Amino acid sequence: MENHPQENHCAEQLTQDSVDRHVAQWSKELAWMDPVKEAIYVRLAKLARHASQARRDALDSDGLRHWQYKVLLTLRRHGPPYTASPSELADRLGLTRGALSARLAPLEEAGLIGRTHESADRRRVLVRLTDAGYAAFEQHAAAEEADEVALLAALTAEEQRTLADLLRKLVVAAESGPDGHAPRRSRSAES
C-alpha cells in the first residue's frame, strides 16, 4: 500500500470546530466555494477576533485603554531612553498633533509619560516613558504574552514554527500586493 502524506494528514483524527460546521453548511449551498480557502479565511478571522478580545480583556484588567497602550508601546519601541518628539509620535500613531496632544494629557496626569523641554532648544518638547509607564507596559505585555503562549500550547514547537513560516508567506504576499509592489501601508499595521 502506498503512503500518501496528504492522505495521512487528512486521516488524522482532528477535533471538529465551528469552522468545520460553517464550511460543511455553506458547501451544500455554494457549489463554487473552495472549502479549504473558506476554512483558512474563517479560522484566520476567528483567531484575529480572539486575539483582539484577549488584548481588550488584558487592557481592561490593567486599567489601560487601547490608545493609551499604543502610546506606551510606541515609546517603548523607540528603545532607551524611551523618548520621542510629539511629531514623531503623531506620525507613528497616525494621529494629528492636536489629537496626540489630547491623548498625552491624561497619560501625563496618570504619571505614565512625562513631557520635557530640550536643554538646547526650549521650544522643542520630548515625550518620555516614565518608570510607571514602563511598568504599566511591562505588566500588560506580560499578560498578553501569557494569553498567547496559552493559545499556542495547542501546537508543538515544530507546528508553531511551521505555522509561523506559512503565515510569513501570506504576510509577504499581502504586503507586496497583487502587482508585486508594496501597497500603501496602513498606520495600524505595526501594532
Side-chain angles (χ1 to χ4, degrees):
M1 178 175 209
E2 288 185 54
N3 185 7
H4 298 284
Q6 297 88 348
E7 290 175 12
N8 288 343
H9 174 72
C10 294
E12 287 180 20
Q13 294 292 44
L14 296 177
T15 303
Q16 289 216 336
D17 63 10
S18 62
V19 177
D20 292 316
R21 293 183 293 279
H22 164 92
V23 170
Q25 184 174 8
W26 280 110
S27 291
K28 293 175 193 171
E29 296 294 323
L30 305 173
W32 50 263
M33 184 184 76
D34 176 351
V36 173
K37 183 269 317 158
E38 183 71 5
I40 290 168
Y41 271 87
V42 173
R43 284 188 176 105
L44 287 172
K46 281 190 171 290
L47 289 170
R49 282 193 303 274
H50 173 83
S52 292
Q53 186 61 52
R55 176 173 277 176
R56 280 192 298 276
D57 292 347
L59 285 168
D60 287 346
S61 70
D62 292 343
L64 286 174
R65 307 274 313 262
H66 185 254
W67 64 264
Q68 291 172 315
Y69 177 69
K70 285 188 75 166
V71 171
L72 300 180
L73 176 126
T74 303
L75 286 168
R76 180 66 190 274
R77 188 180 289 157
H78 260 266
Y82 310 115
T83 61
S85 70
S87 60
E88 283 177 293
L89 275 178
D91 288 345
R92 288 184 184 259
L93 293 167
L95 300 170
T96 65
R97 290 185 183 139
L100 176 71
S101 182
R103 290 183 180 199
L104 293 180
L107 287 170
E108 189 170 31
E109 289 170 15
L112 301 174
I113 63 150
R115 289 189 256 196
T116 58
H117 294 277
E118 269 191 17
S119 56
D121 182 355
R122 299 283 302 155
R123 294 172 297 175
R124 185 167 156 85
V125 174
L126 290 176
V127 179
R128 69 173 172 76
L129 194 60
T130 64
D131 290 343
Y134 186 96
F137 173 85
E138 284 292 315
Q139 179 180 341
H140 177 73
E144 269 194 29
E145 175 76 5
D147 289 343
E148 293 165 358
V149 167
L151 178 62
L152 291 176
L155 303 175
T156 66
E158 183 179 340
E159 289 171 329
Q160 289 179 31
R161 283 188 295 275
T162 299
L163 179 59
D165 290 342
L166 292 171
L167 291 172
R168 179 184 304 107
K169 288 174 91 171
L170 291 176
V171 169
V172 167
E175 288 178 344
S176 64
D179 60 359
H181 295 93
R184 284 186 32 182
R185 283 185 21 196
S186 72
R187 296 206 185 264
S188 63
E190 293 182 8
S191 56

